[in-house]
């Protein structure tokens, strides 16, 4: 499957990364000598993805300038949320008209992942089944979710259908901010700002949301304290 587009979530306030985000958006915080966003753009290039949309709200001019200077080889469209931050779901709905492929990726731009023999984005595309899926999410076992403080997000049944952790003390898999979505996933959305969780719940109830287990590592850059151990781990990996 080629020619897929990608939505990059770059509009958030980055409150948990303060004070590093007092004067820059979280995707431009440096880890290992380059901005977080650079890791995501490199993954797009490795997977042969050339068209992407990035939403902006907090310090938007910095994201726009970075894309203009460091992503000139990619076709980048800016989805402007300056007037109102639309959260993950509302941001997707606003950007949908620019996402011409079906399915398309939705990727958080504030974490780092490493791949196995085949890159994760290509693996998602190969696993996609339009007849059964509206959402295919990438999850990782908790032991490979580095610097992640959570208790896990999902269980998986034999058909790779995710089940939320709910009241369980912990769950074995963590969602790592990478989705492959059909446009049908966004049908009849709420108005204004809303979380993608609303659409997840609908897809889960319809049996249209599946998971793929990531075969590499994932580094959650959720706080300034996560940067040093991530840099050390990446240095060891070479």
């Amino acid at each position: 499957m080629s020619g897929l587009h990608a939505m990059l979530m770059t509009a958030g306030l980055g409150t948990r990364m303060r004070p590093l985000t007092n004067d820059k958006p979280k995707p431009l915080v440096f880890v290992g000598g380059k901005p977080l966003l650079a890791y995501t753009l490199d993954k797009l290039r490795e997977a042969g993805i050339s068209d992407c949309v990035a939403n902006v709200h907090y310090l938007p001019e910095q994201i726009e300038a970075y894309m203009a200077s460091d992503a000139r080889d990619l076709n980048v469209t800016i989805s402007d949320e300056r007037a109102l931050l639309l959260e993950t779901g509302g941001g997707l709905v606003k950007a949908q008209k620019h996402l011409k492929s079906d399915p398309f990726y939705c990727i958080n731009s504030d974490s780092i992942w490493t791949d196995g023999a085949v890159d994760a984005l290509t693996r998602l595309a190969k696993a996609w089944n339009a007849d059964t899926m509206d959402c295919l999410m990438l999850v990782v076992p908790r032991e490979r979710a580095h610097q992640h403080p959570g208790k896990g997000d999902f269980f998986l049944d034999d058909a790779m259908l995710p089940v939320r952790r709910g009241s369980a003390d912990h769950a074995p898999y963590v969602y790592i901010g990478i989705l492959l979505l059909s446009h049908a996933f966004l049908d009849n959305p709420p108005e204004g700002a809303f979380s993608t969780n609303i659409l997840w719940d609908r897809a889960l109830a319809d049996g249209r949301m599946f998971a793929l287990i990531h075969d590499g590592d994932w580094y959650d850059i959720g706080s300034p304290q996560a940067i040093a151990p991530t840099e050390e781990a990446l240095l060891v990996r070479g």
Side-chain angles (χ1 to χ4, degrees), residues 15-93:
T15 53
R16 291 185 300 147
M17 284 294 287
R18 290 176 179 165
L20 299 179
T21 52
N22 285 346
D23 59 357
K24 69 176 62 175
K26 185 178 179 182
L28 297 186
V29 169
F30 269 63
V31 177
K34 63 183 183 180
L36 280 167
L37 183 53
Y39 290 92
T40 304
L41 295 179
D42 284 345
K43 291 297 186 183
L44 295 186
R45 295 180 180 105
E46 289 171 14
I49 298 165
S50 58
D51 294 276
C52 63
V53 179
N55 61 343
V56 296
H57 173 78
Y58 178 60
L59 302 174
E61 296 83 3
Q62 293 188 32
I63 296 289
E64 290 173 325
Y66 183 81
M67 290 298 197
S69 63
D70 287 64
R72 287 173 293 179
D73 57 324
L74 302 174
N75 301 317
V76 180
T77 301
I78 298 296
S79 183
D80 195 334
E81 297 179 27
R82 283 174 172 84
L84 176 66
L85 183 60
L86 293 170
E87 299 185 44
T88 50
L92 269 172
V93 171

Side-chain angles (χ1 to χ4, degrees), residues 5-225:
H5 289 202
M7 172 73 182
L8 305 181
M9 294 297 191
T10 58
L13 301 174
T15 53
R16 291 185 300 147
M17 284 294 287
R18 290 176 179 165
L20 299 179
T21 52
N22 285 346
D23 59 357
K24 69 176 62 175
K26 185 178 179 182
L28 297 186
V29 169
F30 269 63
V31 177
K34 63 183 183 180
L36 280 167
L37 183 53
Y39 290 92
T40 304
L41 295 179
D42 284 345
K43 291 297 186 183
L44 295 186
R45 295 180 180 105
E46 289 171 14
I49 298 165
S50 58
D51 294 276
C52 63
V53 179
N55 61 343
V56 296
H57 173 78
Y58 178 60
L59 302 174
E61 296 83 3
Q62 293 188 32
I63 296 289
E64 290 173 325
Y66 183 81
M67 290 298 197
S69 63
D70 287 64
R72 287 173 293 179
D73 57 324
L74 302 174
N75 301 317
V76 180
T77 301
I78 298 296
S79 183
D80 195 334
E81 297 179 27
R82 283 174 172 84
L84 176 66
L85 183 60
L86 293 170
E87 299 185 44
T88 50
L92 269 172
V93 171
K94 181 178 176 65
Q96 184 180 12
K97 61 181 179 291
H98 303 297
L99 296 160
K100 305 298 186 182
S101 69
D102 196 359
F104 62 89
Y105 296 99
C106 178
I107 306 173
N108 292 347
S109 56
D110 57 2
S111 63
I112 297 171
W113 73 92
T114 60
D115 290 315
V118 178
D119 70 87
L121 300 181
T122 298
R123 288 186 66 229
L124 280 168
K126 288 182 175 180
W128 180 258
N129 184 335
D131 292 333
T132 60
M133 299 175 178
D134 284 330
C135 176
L136 180 59
M137 63 159 46
L138 197 64
V139 299
V140 70
R142 285 177 62 209
E143 60 269 21
R144 287 193 269 115
H146 306 287
Q147 280 73 253
H148 182 68
K151 296 182 178 181
D153 302 311
F154 292 99
F155 299 91
L156 299 179
D157 70 11
D158 291 341
M160 299 301 287
L161 290 162
V163 178
R164 288 189 184 274
R165 176 167 60 88
S167 60
D169 181 64
H170 61 272
Y173 296 102
V174 175
Y175 165 60
I176 67 175
I178 304 173
L179 301 167
L180 192 55
L181 301 173
S182 71
H183 283 275
F185 179 79
L186 298 177
D187 285 351
N188 302 311
E191 295 185 1
F194 69 94
S195 170
T196 314
N197 270 297
I198 293 173
L199 304 179
W200 283 11
D201 286 340
R202 184 173 67 183
L204 284 168
D206 292 342
R208 301 281 299 177
M209 183 171 181
F210 289 77
L212 179 70
I213 300 173
H214 182 47
D215 59 356
D217 289 288
W218 178 66
Y219 301 88
D220 183 3
I221 315 298
S223 69
Q225 292 72 35

